[in-house]
Amino acid sequence: MPRELDEWHARTGGFVARPSFDEYAEKYAKYFVMQRRDGILELRMHTDDGPAHFDFAVHNAWAQAWLEIGNDPRNEVVILTGTGDRWLGAPDTAPQDPAESARRMTSGPFPPDFGYEHGYYDATKLVENFVFGIDVPTISAINGPSIAHTEFALLCDITLAAETATISDPHFLAGTAPGDGQQLTLQELAGTKRASYHLYTGLPIDARRALELGLVNEVLPAPDLLPRAWELAETIMKQPRTTRRLTHAIAVRPWKRRLVHDLGFGTAHEMFGIGAQSR
């Protein structure tokens, strides 16, 4: 935010304070390591400073983090990446098998009121808040293979991938309908027919194939991944603030349409399927 506007808010009074970086960086420290330099915010997903593990707590926390990050006007470009050699890992699963991990998450035990609060509501807000709540350019750096939830990387304006990165949706292999976000990114970017094949088979898409299909923009050696993300972010920052933000609005528009049309439908079907099987 321009300093003059900040000072005007302080003089006139009555304005509600925006989120403080120091406060929300600490609040979400269990889930992200955050650093900000010259308006560029890097979010590094982690669990105990290793690859992030996805669970119901993450489901809830990430959705709230997107809102606070998006509501801080001092965030001008966002870089999203993972820790170590994986985008998302799975606790107590060896080898890191996507289908087995998804099966464990969808077979319970479930939190109280799972069907709506932790299932439908958290799942939809997890994706909606990322797309509708962050109004600045976004860059993702997929640092390695993932058990799931690479949709956030694909929803970013620019997506970089390490040579070892993979993209997959394991829901069907775990006996669950794939409806909570990854399927939308595959359908939108890879096309209906290709998406259906990968949803049914669960076969991962490697980095080079992802580049061919238009899922990612660049494939890089792992050591070059984050430096390239920062290079792009710094290039973006050379343009005026309104230009950056309005360009993002144009870039994200197709995702907003897709989510409005299809996210609730897919998530409801996934949750119904889980509920029907548990009875």
Side-chain angles (χ1 to χ4, degrees):
M1 186 195 313
R3 180 174 297 177
E4 295 80 4
L5 184 57
D6 217 11
E7 293 171 350
W8 186 81
H9 284 173
R11 286 198 310 272
T12 55
F15 288 90
V16 176
R18 296 293 188 97
S20 161
F21 172 77
D22 290 338
E23 290 178 2
Y24 62 76
E26 176 62 27
K27 181 178 180 180
Y28 298 104
K30 180 179 179 181
Y31 308 100
F32 296 102
V33 174
M34 301 189 192
Q35 64 165 319
R36 185 169 66 190
R37 187 175 73 240
D38 299 327
I40 301 170
L41 175 65
E42 179 187 298
L43 300 173
R44 177 167 61 83
M45 307 178 295
H46 79 104
T47 298
D48 298 327
D49 209 34
H53 298 160
F54 200 82
D55 56 22
F56 291 120
V58 169
H59 221 228
N60 179 264
W62 284 10
Q64 297 181 65
W66 307 142
L67 290 180
E68 296 196 53
I69 290 163
N71 197 28
D72 182 351
R74 290 170 178 78
N75 294 327
E76 300 289 358
V77 179
V78 172
I79 296 172
L80 178 65
T81 192
T83 296
D85 61 356
R86 289 185 175 273
W87 176 259
L88 280 180
D92 305 321
T93 302
Q96 296 274 330
D97 178 61
E100 177 60 22
S101 179
R103 189 177 297 111
R104 292 189 185 193
M105 278 196 69
T106 56
S107 63
F110 297 128
D113 198 13
F114 166 76
Y116 179 74
E117 296 294 345
H118 294 284
Y120 182 84
Y121 183 83
D122 277 354
T124 53
K125 293 305 175 186
L126 184 65
V127 180
E128 285 180 353
N129 291 352
F130 187 82
V131 172
F132 287 93
I134 298 176
D135 295 321
V136 300
T138 51
I139 301 170
S140 60
I142 310 175
N143 55 304
S146 179
I147 60 163
H149 287 291
T150 43
E151 68 263 30
F152 299 103
L154 303 187
L155 289 167
C156 287
D157 299 341
I158 297 174
T159 303
L160 311 178
E163 294 169 328
T164 57
T166 59
I167 295 167
S168 64
D169 189 327
H171 285 85
F172 188 79
L173 296 184
T176 304
D180 61 2
Q182 182 73 78
Q183 89 288 359
L184 294 183
T185 57
L186 293 179
Q187 288 175 330
E188 182 76 15
L189 297 175
T192 303
K193 186 65 71 174
R194 293 190 186 100
S196 296
Y197 175 78
H198 286 283
L199 295 179
Y200 278 116
T201 64
L203 290 174
I205 302 169
D206 65 33
R208 290 295 172 189
R209 181 59 173 158
L211 183 63
E212 293 173 3
L213 294 176
L215 301 178
V216 305
N217 299 108
E218 297 181 17
V219 175
L220 302 151
D224 298 336
L225 194 66
L226 265 181
R228 177 58 174 156
W230 276 88
E231 178 185 8
L232 288 166
E234 289 163 354
T235 299
I236 290 170
M237 285 295 295
K238 293 177 181 178
Q239 300 306 320
R241 186 170 189 267
T242 51
T243 299
R244 299 191 303 263
R245 289 172 176 251
L246 295 177
T247 300
H248 170 75
I250 293 168
V252 81
R253 178 74 172 176
W255 290 123
K256 289 182 176 180
R257 284 197 295 263
R258 188 83 198 210
L259 264 60
V260 168
H261 289 159
D262 296 327
L263 180 62
F265 173 89
T267 306
H269 278 67
E270 180 177 323
M271 292 302 108
F272 177 80
I274 293 172
Q277 292 177 56
S278 65
R279 295 182 183 276

